[in-house]
Amino acid sequence: MLDLNAVDVEEIATALADQTDYEHRWLIDPRTGEIAFWTSDTGIDGENPVEIDELDLVLIDPLPPYVWYQDMVDFADGISDRAAGDALHRVLQGKGAFRRFKNDLYQRQPDLISSWHAFRDARARVRAVQWLVDEGLIDEDAAREFERAHPDPELP
């Protein structure tokens, strides 16, 4: 088992949210907790291509978009300014919701940006820790302690 304090939870959260493509992947060394970045062209050292299945590392597959979408819905539900929340809900309807949410936040509601980032990042860190548990890399007690110490932030 890894010591949770030795693992870069932020980097795992980034990997779990990375929806770009399969030409690059994130991996974790189950012995050390070190995160590696693999590309199809340059492997993990940036110079030597290697097949991903030849590595003795655990692949960090991104979580499905609906997980991250739900964070946007929960944020819109949780803010006290109902007009702002309703506006965010409207942009979440249909294809392109992620882009529209970001655009609306940055262009029409910039006072909510820091609250959104804190909310999104807190949720992502907890998911990263849960992913470590699911992969058998840390124990559940460490995850429960982390979750208690890192609740969702208060929303405006």
Side-chain angles (χ1 to χ4, degrees):
M1 291 272 168
L2 294 171
D3 176 3
L4 182 55
N5 295 318
V7 177
D8 189 340
V9 172
E10 299 279 342
E11 201 166 18
I12 294 171
T14 298
L16 291 171
D18 187 352
Q19 304 284 323
T20 52
D21 60 46
Y22 285 96
E23 295 298 311
H24 74 268
R25 303 300 298 271
W26 299 80
L27 304 107
I28 186 171
D29 186 323
R31 296 170 304 279
T32 65
E34 183 180 347
I35 307 297
F37 188 75
W38 172 91
T39 69
S40 58
D41 296 335
T42 62
I44 60 171
D45 65 2
E47 297 177 10
N48 301 302
V50 62
E51 293 296 320
I52 203 165
D53 57 351
E54 294 174 16
L55 301 169
D56 192 22
L57 303 172
V58 176
L59 188 62
I60 304 173
D61 280 322
L63 295 176
Y66 69 81
V67 170
W68 309 105
Y69 176 86
Q70 188 61 50
D71 287 346
M72 296 185 297
V73 171
D74 292 346
F75 180 78
D77 286 343
I79 57 177
S80 60
D81 180 343
R82 283 314 335 134
D86 290 345
L88 289 172
H89 272 290
R90 280 192 295 279
V91 300
L92 289 173
Q93 304 307 309
K95 190 173 173 125
F98 287 88
R99 178 185 41 79
R100 284 192 311 275
F101 182 89
K102 182 179 174 183
N103 289 346
D104 192 75
L105 202 59
Y106 279 82
Q107 294 170 6
R108 294 190 180 96
Q109 303 180 61
D111 54 314
L112 294 175
I113 294 170
S114 63
S115 296
W116 163 244
H117 285 201
F119 183 82
R120 176 199 63 197
D121 295 349
R123 291 263 178 110
R125 285 189 295 271
V126 168
R127 284 192 190 101
V129 169
Q130 186 56 54
W131 181 87
L132 288 164
V133 169
D134 294 345
E135 293 297 316
L137 299 174
I138 65 167
D139 64 45
E140 290 189 32
D141 291 338
R144 279 193 293 275
E145 185 177 318
F146 183 91
E147 288 178 32
R148 276 194 302 275
H150 299 86
D152 283 349
E154 297 258 343
L155 294 178

